[in-house]
Amino acid sequence: MKNIIITAILFGSGFLSQAQEVGLQLYSLRDQFKVDVSNTLGLIEEWGITNIEGGGTYDMPMEDFKTLLAEHNLNMVSVGAQFGDLENDIDKVVKNAKAFGATYVMCAWVPHDDNKWDLEETQHATDVFNKAGKILKKNGFTLAYHAHGYEFRPYKNATLFDYMAEHAKDFSFELDVFWAQHGGADPLALMKKYPKKFVLLHLKDMQKGIVGNNTGHEEDDTNVVLGTGQVDISGIVAEAKKLGIKYMFIEDESSDVVSQVPKSLEYLSQLEK
């Protein structure tokens, strides 16, 4: 019944068209998966969510995990990939994406010294993403880089992210609105500046009063229920709808994720067209 109710709320309110859907990044439930994989997937199903982003199998054989996904009506739209694999073992990435039947491959972090993320690092990452993205594209996948905050350090009259976006030829981006704002950017302004660059979103709100930085690090419990923090979630969702971004994944890294996600879904259901 919860599944039916939440789905009806999201579509019936005019918040989402049939071409858009709210999913969940599985990292949100990393602690719950350690206890019981099947029950955790069942919880996602109860929330009325069908599209997910993940990539691992939680120490289960791939076919067994995929069977559980099917039993809980879950579709792995986007799979994560390590930067090192994109650079040195692209066949592994392709194989995993094919196994899940994904559409997108996302990378959420480029290993680096926290005190060093400069033009050289940015150029190297951009080159790796372009090369990997070209191969993934030939195999039917779209590579999306998830900026994490350190990319918004200043460069000339803009930021290193601007350099990366302007030189992204064979890859796109997943905008994590929390990390963009935490890193000093305006996520809504980024969407308007680069209307064709963002193909996925992470919906995540930041506790009021938190002052960000561009290290890419913050306490997990600064993730709050959507609409209660300092990120303009409603404006971002409206712009995503305008730009035709189909998948928006809730990512809630807080220790209170199980109670917060339903509240975030309720908030999204109340947004107007």
Side-chain angles (χ1 to χ4, degrees), residues 75-139:
N75 176 34
M76 188 74 75
V77 173
S78 174
V79 296
Q82 298 295 319
F83 181 79
D85 289 335
L86 290 170
E87 184 173 21
N88 302 310
D89 196 355
I90 191 64
D91 288 343
K92 175 183 176 182
V93 177
V94 171
K95 181 180 178 181
N96 193 52
K98 285 183 175 180
F100 277 115
T103 301
Y104 300 94
V105 173
M106 61 83 75
C107 179
W109 188 269
V110 180
H112 64 281
D113 182 334
D114 281 349
N115 297 316
K116 181 177 183 289
W117 180 267
D118 55 19
L119 181 61
E120 182 180 355
E121 302 267 356
T122 303
Q123 289 173 327
H124 175 65
T126 303
D127 288 343
V128 170
F129 290 138
N130 275 323
K131 290 175 184 177
K134 194 169 186 178
I135 295 171
L136 287 167
K137 193 181 299 182
K138 289 179 180 178
N139 283 274

Side-chain angles (χ1 to χ4, degrees), residues 23-89:
L24 183 76
Q25 161 56 250
L26 295 188
Y27 185 73
S28 304
L29 295 170
R30 59 199 179 281
D31 292 332
Q32 288 72 26
F33 276 116
K34 294 175 184 176
V35 178
D36 191 306
V37 175
S38 183
N39 284 343
T40 301
L41 295 175
L43 180 63
I44 300 170
E45 183 182 20
E46 286 183 10
W47 288 338
I49 291 172
T50 58
N51 293 307
I52 54 176
E53 181 178 69
T57 63
Y58 303 95
D59 298 323
M60 296 180 66
M62 173 64 79
E63 291 308 313
D64 291 349
F65 185 66
K66 287 171 62 178
T67 296
L68 285 179
L69 292 181
E71 288 176 356
H72 294 293
N73 194 33
L74 296 173
N75 176 34
M76 188 74 75
V77 173
S78 174
V79 296
Q82 298 295 319
F83 181 79
D85 289 335
L86 290 170
E87 184 173 21
N88 302 310
D89 196 355

